[in-house]
Amino acid sequence: MEGQSILLKNPVSHTLWRRIVRHKSIYLVASLSFIYFIIFKYVPIWNAQIAFRDFQALEGVTGSPWIGFKNFSDFVNSYYFWELIRNTVFYSLGKMLFSVPAAVFLAVALYECRVFWLRKTVQTMAYLPHFLSWVIMYAILLAILSPSNGILNDFIKVFGGEPISFMTDTKAFPWIVILSDTWKETGWSAIIFLAALMGIDPCLFEAAAVEGASAWQRVRYITLPAIKPVIVVVVLLKLGTVLDAGFNQIFMLYSLPVYSVADIIDTWIYRQGILEFRFGLATAVGLFKGVFGLLLLVGSNKLIKRYTGNGLY
Amino acid sequence: MTSTIKLTRSDRVFHIFIDAALALILALLIIPIWSTLTLSFRPNDFIGSALDGMILPPWKWSTAAYKALLGHRSFLSAAGNSFRIFFEGVITALFFTVPLAYALSIKTLPGRKLLYGIVLVPYLFNPGLVPNYLLVTKLGLTNTLAAVFLPGAVSVYNTLIMKSFFEELPEELKESARIDGASELTVLLKIILPLSKPILLTIGLYYGVHFWNDFFNAMLYINDAKLQPLPILLRNILLSSGMNEYVEANAFGEAPIYAIKAASVFLAAIPMLVAYPFIQRYFVKGTMLGSIKG
């Protein structure tokens, strides 16, 4: 009996131990990445406790006194709260409303185009802006919108109008943000739809042709339904990150005259935390955003899993 | 398909519509870039509208803005810093990303689930700007180039793309090496990495472009003018209205300020434009893996 149980038990622990030993060099190299993660990803999570403290630089993270949810209530009750939430959600959804249909249209057009050079050139030019930083984008926008040298204002002058300072105009600014993002990212977003189109079974098109379907009908009844699941996933994904309205873009483009329509949660955190040294308050807002972001992301992933049977993680 | 079947009238209209739409999109993509480019070459004595500037023949272009920038000390030092950030950043990022992605790709690795969880939590939950700022300043990275790339040296997204790539490599290759007595590290170095050049190049360039473009970390952590990378200098040039020290009377010679502004972004974008065709070959596959499978 005894001998038997040892025989039964040993192989399991034995193989587990052997598997661990076998992979010891992998543990060794991966441990460096592991340490990196602990320092650069988990220490900040630990630091986030200052959201509940009255942070004093000299006392450090753990030395500052606890104040509970005061930083949070200060933020929620502040005059800015709804303005920041509104602007953040507005820019996220606004960008989505423009860029998703644009990307679907671009993908379908590229897929249907029979002129090889046109397709290739548009593809190359459309993906490129994704790799430009917002500093560079700002210079390009200046070349178009600047009151003194911009081509748009040149048109206005040609037709006898007064040049408009678009970048500091509260009416124009939201459009600049949404349209410049559409210009920069549509091509990149189209890739995923294009990939879905490549997976369509050609038999469907042959069958449609035999039945005498027109090209319009082909798009309407085969192409668009084929990418519908991808559209749903992309929209859900974007809803999962609705609190990220694009810090780099807004930060680069905005200025004092347009703060009321431009300020998003992230830009506000930057100004309060880094420029005004209100670390506790800025951390509380960041934590607020982080927790809601987590809930949204987990929620959207659940929906994606239910819809496609395949989650993101 | 279309070659074997006679096009109907409505199909011809369809294709004209598609081609016209793409031509319009192409124009919308090119015009802003072209107007910035021509602005950078516009001579000092140019008279006329921006539209005239856009159709100015190339033999009337002036390279004064480019000469001024390339001959300017702060521009050259910023470019040098940016190149260092690019190369040191890419090497550091791959050094941390590759072993992690490989470990996650080994299905039989004890503790793999736990490691995956550790990687995923920071991906889903971001504690925000200030906690990161406190860490980086506490580590004494202020006024070092590492402050620009070290906080972002492992992107979970890139790690997962690379992991998917490793998982798709044929299992038999690794098995046969193991039977021959190779250790796991040897399998990684001798079998996996040589087969992974495309993904290393793609992910390396993703990181590189990200570090090259970054202005936020540089703005947060670098105050020393000698250590400023290009995006910070560009931002200073772009935001200056003519009163700034950078564009003070003689700083950039004869070229008009708007030409300097436009030229500076093209010089800063050149390395990326050079790298672009290389990435373009692989990024379709890369983004697909990342966004669908995770």
Side-chain angles (χ1 to χ4, degrees):
Chain A
M1 278 300 273
E2 260 189 356
Q4 205 180 2
S5 73
I6 288 170
L7 271 178
L8 278 176
K9 260 166 83 184
N10 247 356
V12 181
S13 59
H14 191 61
T15 48
L16 177 65
W17 179 245
R18 274 193 54 174
R19 264 161 63 209
I20 292 173
V21 172
R22 216 299 22 112
H23 293 105
K24 62 178 189 297
S25 49
I26 294 302
Y27 288 119
L28 194 71
V29 286
S31 68
L32 294 172
S33 318
F34 178 76
I35 293 167
Y36 174 89
F37 255 79
I38 298 302
I39 296 176
F40 282 93
K41 310 277 172 179
Y42 283 87
V43 172
I45 294 179
W46 167 257
N47 283 348
Q49 60 177 284
I50 65 166
F52 305 97
R53 290 175 187 268
D54 178 19
F55 182 73
Q56 271 130 33
L58 289 175
E59 303 294 328
V61 170
T62 48
S64 302
W66 291 101
I67 50 165
F69 283 87
K70 186 176 178 303
N71 286 322
F72 292 88
S73 60
D74 280 357
F75 173 60
V76 174
N77 294 325
S78 80
Y79 160 73
Y80 300 103
F81 179 73
W82 287 112
E83 184 179 286
L84 291 174
I85 303 282
R86 191 194 65 211
N87 286 346
T88 305
V89 173
F90 170 82
Y91 283 118
S92 286
L93 295 185
K95 286 175 185 180
M96 186 176 86
L97 279 178
F98 275 77
S99 78
V100 172
V104 170
F105 180 84
L106 179 63
V108 172
L110 286 170
Y111 182 70
E112 293 288 344
C113 179
R114 302 274 176 271
V115 187
F116 180 77
W117 68 265
L118 183 63
R119 195 172 66 217
K120 278 287 158 220
T121 320
V122 172
Q123 257 177 318
T124 305
M125 287 308 296
Y127 300 160
L128 179 67
H130 173 76
F131 295 95
L132 302 177
S133 69
W134 278 106
V135 182
I136 289 177
M137 285 294 294
Y138 179 67
I140 294 174
L141 284 172
L142 277 184
I144 302 170
L145 303 173
S146 146
S148 48
N149 304 299
I151 40 171
L152 200 56
N153 272 310
D154 262 25
F155 266 112
I156 293 175
K157 281 182 240 170
V158 166
F159 290 108
E162 282 292 309
I164 300 166
S165 179
F166 291 104
M167 301 287 262
T168 51
D169 186 290
T170 50
K171 285 212 183 65
F173 189 84
W175 288 104
I176 296 174
V177 170
I178 289 173
L179 293 178
S180 63
D181 181 79
T182 307
W183 188 83
K184 187 174 185 295
E185 300 298 337
T186 295
W188 187 254
S189 326
I191 290 180
I192 186 165
F193 298 118
L194 208 50
L197 290 174
M198 295 300 173
I200 298 178
D201 185 354
C203 291
L204 290 173
F205 293 120
E206 279 157 31
V210 171
E211 299 287 337
S214 74
W216 304 95
Q217 286 168 322
R218 216 170 60 218
V219 171
R220 171 74 183 76
Y221 294 106
I222 301 176
T223 316
L224 287 179
I227 52 173
K228 200 181 125 209
V230 186
I231 298 174
V232 174
V233 170
V234 168
V235 168
L236 285 173
L237 259 182
K238 297 220 182 227
L239 289 177
T241 56
V242 79
L243 295 180
D244 290 307
F247 174 85
N248 281 341
Q249 179 193 19
I250 306 265
F251 182 75
M252 201 55 224
L253 303 187
Y254 81 165
S255 54
L256 199 56
V258 291
Y259 272 2
S260 63
V261 294
D263 216 8
I264 55 172
I265 297 175
D266 285 327
T267 48
W268 193 82
I269 290 176
Y270 169 74
R271 288 204 315 279
Q272 294 301 318
I274 307 298
L275 301 183
E276 313 265 337
F277 300 108
R278 297 166 76 179
F279 283 178
L281 178 65
T283 307
V285 180
L287 207 56
F288 172 87
K289 181 181 170 245
V291 169
F292 268 92
L294 172 70
L295 294 177
L296 285 167
L297 217 56
V298 171
S300 75
N301 192 55
K302 273 233 165 68
L303 289 174
I304 291 171
K305 224 172 218 167
R306 187 177 301 167
Y307 186 75
T308 63
N310 220 331
L312 294 161
Y313 51 84
Chain B
M1 186 177 68
T2 34
S3 56
T4 53
I5 297 160
K6 204 165 161 266
L7 284 173
T8 63
R9 221 186 101 127
S10 113
D11 286 0
R12 269 203 302 277
V13 174
F14 174 80
H15 281 290
I16 289 169
F17 170 73
I18 291 287
D19 295 345
L22 285 180
L24 179 69
I25 290 170
L26 190 60
L28 287 175
L29 286 164
I30 288 176
I31 287 170
I33 294 175
W34 181 252
S35 65
T36 317
L37 188 70
T38 49
L39 197 59
S40 75
F41 284 110
R42 201 183 288 178
N44 208 4
D45 54 1
F46 175 81
I47 302 163
S49 68
L51 294 172
D52 300 327
M54 282 177 72
I55 50 168
L56 192 71
W59 58 88
K60 287 189 181 160
W61 288 4
S62 153
T63 53
Y66 290 92
K67 280 188 192 134
L69 281 166
L70 288 173
H72 199 270
R73 202 159 10 93
S74 59
F75 186 86
L76 295 178
S77 110
N81 290 331
S82 273
F83 274 109
R84 272 190 58 196
I85 288 169
F86 182 93
F87 287 110
E88 291 173 19
V90 169
I91 290 167
T92 312
L94 289 179
F95 177 80
F96 286 122
T97 305
V98 172
L100 190 62
Y102 184 61
L104 288 171
S105 78
I106 305 174
K107 294 249 157 51
T108 55
L109 184 80
R112 172 174 168 271
K113 280 250 164 70
L114 178 71
L115 189 62
Y116 195 49
I118 289 170
V119 169
L120 213 54
V121 168
Y123 181 58
L124 296 174
F125 175 72
N126 178 3
L129 169 65
V130 175
N132 280 294
Y133 178 81
L134 290 178
L135 169 75
V136 174
T137 46
K138 185 117 190 170
L139 289 173
L141 292 172
T142 315
N143 278 328
T144 64
L145 295 182
V148 178
F149 60 78
L150 214 45
V154 181
S155 132
V156 175
Y157 181 78
N158 286 347
T159 309
L160 294 182
I161 294 177
M162 197 177 271
K163 168 190 158 260
S164 306
F165 181 89
F166 288 152
E167 279 171 348
E168 284 183 359
L169 291 175
E171 197 60 38
E172 299 80 39
L173 278 172
K174 300 175 220 166
E175 264 327 301
S176 62
R178 282 180 195 130
I179 290 165
D180 290 342
S183 76
E184 285 296 328
L185 191 62
T186 319
V187 174
L188 172 61
L189 294 177
K190 295 274 164 66
I191 314 260
I192 305 289
L193 287 189
L195 288 172
S196 306
K197 272 183 205 140
I199 197 75
L200 293 178
L201 193 68
T202 315
I203 298 293
L205 283 169
Y206 274 166
Y207 278 124
V209 167
H210 179 76
F211 297 144
W212 180 270
N213 281 340
D214 174 88
F215 70 88
F216 188 56
N217 281 345
M219 186 178 74
L220 286 180
Y221 304 121
I222 295 183
N223 323 311
D224 186 347
K226 284 198 291 292
L227 289 172
Q228 274 180 353
L230 269 180
I232 296 290
L233 180 70
L234 291 190
R235 194 163 168 272
N236 289 340
I237 294 176
L238 289 174
L239 294 181
S240 65
S241 48
M243 299 300 168
N244 191 290
E245 51 178 310
Y246 285 107
V247 272
E248 196 99 58
N250 294 322
F252 286 112
E254 317 250 290
I257 287 161
Y258 56 77
I260 294 280
K261 288 184 177 181
S264 62
V265 304
F266 276 99
L267 286 178
I270 283 176
M272 254 170 357
L273 298 180
V274 172
Y276 178 65
F278 293 99
I279 347 178
Q280 206 198 351
R281 251 190 291 166
Y282 302 111
F283 62 44
V284 175
K285 191 177 159 60
T287 30
M288 276 309 291
L289 281 173
S291 44
I292 297 292
K293 286 186 65 188

